[in-house]
Amino acid sequence: MSGTKLYEGKAKILFTTDDPNILLSRYKDDATAFNALKKGTITKKGEVNCAVTSHIFQYLATKGIPTHFIKQVSPTEMQVAAVKILPIEVVVRNIAAGSICKRLGLEQGKQLQQPLVEFFYKNDDLGDPLITDDHIAMLELATIDQVAQLKQMALEINQHLQAFFDRCNLTLVDFKIEIGVDASGKLILADEISPDTCRLWDNTIADPTARIMDKDRFRQDLGNVAEAYQEVMQRVLAAIG
Ligand code: TMP
Ligand code: ASP
């Protein structure tokens, strides 16, 4: 049972429910890249990302990470707690790939000495620019104290996710999370964690292109996108928490 549409994003739609504290998040098959310059669909992506996010958020909750996940209510829908999402994309990188290679001239696949946390301003009109702690304070996107908490939370989540994906025979190259604030001011992991928002490389394959199991297959037109998403879902659902 869904109420009125609150917000439609590129990959999900948020609906109200009868309970003002609970929202319904519906995952779509639509895929975009490069700030929606590239558009398409990935067969069953909604189901994969809903199932993977449900599983991972429940796993992280067992590790003490607060998340907005309540329960999965259909193959493509989950109930989530209503939180105020900070307009910041928090990216954690273990291996250089994607935008950091372009920005800093790093070689794709280079292992970073320690995980790197980056912040991007969630603003489509500006193309989600990279921002520093000082930009966040200046733009009043979050307090200095919240920024410190965001970093700590992101690194903790990275440790749990690395261990989890290792059991799936997948290397967690990098990922993006979004954080919400609840009524009491507590920071809560929100949005999704899926092959759309992570780079995942198959440990059982050596070829650098063939081993890509995430949205980079769509971004770079590598083919077998839906198949890679299905494989990630199967491994995630089979992994022991
Ligand atoms: P990037 O290398 O393009 O900065 O991406 C870093 C990580 O963030 C990668 O795992 C993909 C994810 N990501 C999103 O989830 N949404 C986005 O809009 C972008 C640009 C990246
Ligand atoms: N989701 C983003 C977009 O369309 C970008 C990406 O994931 O590459 O614009």
Side-chain angles (χ1 to χ4, degrees):
M1 172 189 45
S2 60
T4 51
K5 196 194 278 190
L6 255 190
Y7 171 78
E8 178 153 6
K10 295 173 195 139
K12 295 187 293 298
I13 310 173
L14 267 185
F15 295 93
T16 58
T17 69
D18 294 341
D19 184 335
N21 298 312
I22 298 176
L23 301 178
L24 185 94
S25 179
R26 179 180 298 159
Y27 287 66
K28 304 194 284 187
D29 289 347
D30 298 346
T32 64
F34 316 117
N35 203 10
L37 276 177
K38 181 181 169 74
K39 288 193 179 101
T41 57
I42 299 172
T43 306
K44 301 254 181 192
K45 177 168 87 80
E47 283 185 24
V48 169
N49 287 359
C50 187
V52 169
T53 298
S54 297
H55 198 82
I56 289 179
F57 276 27
Q58 287 174 86
Y59 163 76
L60 289 173
T62 69
K63 302 292 175 191
I65 306 286
T67 87
H68 75 158
F69 176 82
I70 298 172
K71 64 178 175 192
Q72 191 173 347
V73 292
S74 85
T76 57
E77 294 171 320
M78 61 174 70
Q79 284 185 355
V80 298
V83 291
K84 190 173 166 286
I85 305 273
L86 296 174
I88 301 171
E89 301 202 335
V90 183
V91 169
V92 182
R93 301 181 191 271
N94 298 304
I95 295 173
S99 72
I100 198 171
C101 295
K102 288 209 190 90
R103 228 179 313 119
L104 302 181
L106 297 183
E107 190 193 336
Q108 162 104 358
K110 181 188 159 68
Q111 178 75 46
L112 304 182
Q113 285 190 349
Q114 55 188 51
L116 175 75
V117 179
E118 291 178 336
F119 298 119
F120 295 86
Y121 184 18
K122 204 169 140 65
N123 184 318
D124 283 341
D125 293 341
L126 300 177
D128 295 350
L130 179 77
I131 48 175
T132 66
D133 304 26
D134 289 341
H135 291 129
I136 292 176
M138 186 261 284
L139 294 169
E140 297 181 4
L141 306 181
T143 64
I144 303 226
D145 182 50
Q146 283 176 330
V147 172
Q149 283 183 59
L150 282 182
K151 264 189 212 170
Q152 199 192 336
M153 218 171 140
L155 290 171
E156 216 178 298
I157 290 169
N158 182 47
Q159 284 191 351
H160 296 307
L161 288 183
Q162 278 188 307
F164 178 83
F165 282 121
D166 191 52
R167 287 198 283 280
C168 304
N169 255 324
L170 295 166
T171 294
L172 179 64
V173 174
D174 57 34
F175 63 96
K176 182 268 302 181
I177 50 173
E178 296 185 24
I179 305 288
V181 186
D182 75 5
S184 70
K186 189 171 141 190
L187 297 187
I188 309 235
L189 176 62
D191 196 52
E192 67 178 285
I193 294 183
S194 71
D196 268 15
T197 63
C198 299
R199 284 196 172 90
L200 300 165
W201 292 352
D202 190 340
N203 294 342
T204 68
I205 299 176
D207 179 79
T209 301
R211 67 190 303 221
I212 293 172
M213 302 292 283
D214 54 69
K215 196 175 167 189
D216 271 350
R217 298 205 74 81
F218 171 79
R219 294 189 187 99
Q220 299 171 31
D221 289 320
L222 300 178
N224 294 325
V225 186
E227 291 79 359
Y229 273 64
Q230 286 293 325
E231 178 66 24
V232 169
M233 179 173 73
Q234 273 156 24
R235 291 194 201 181
V236 164
L237 296 185
I240 302 148

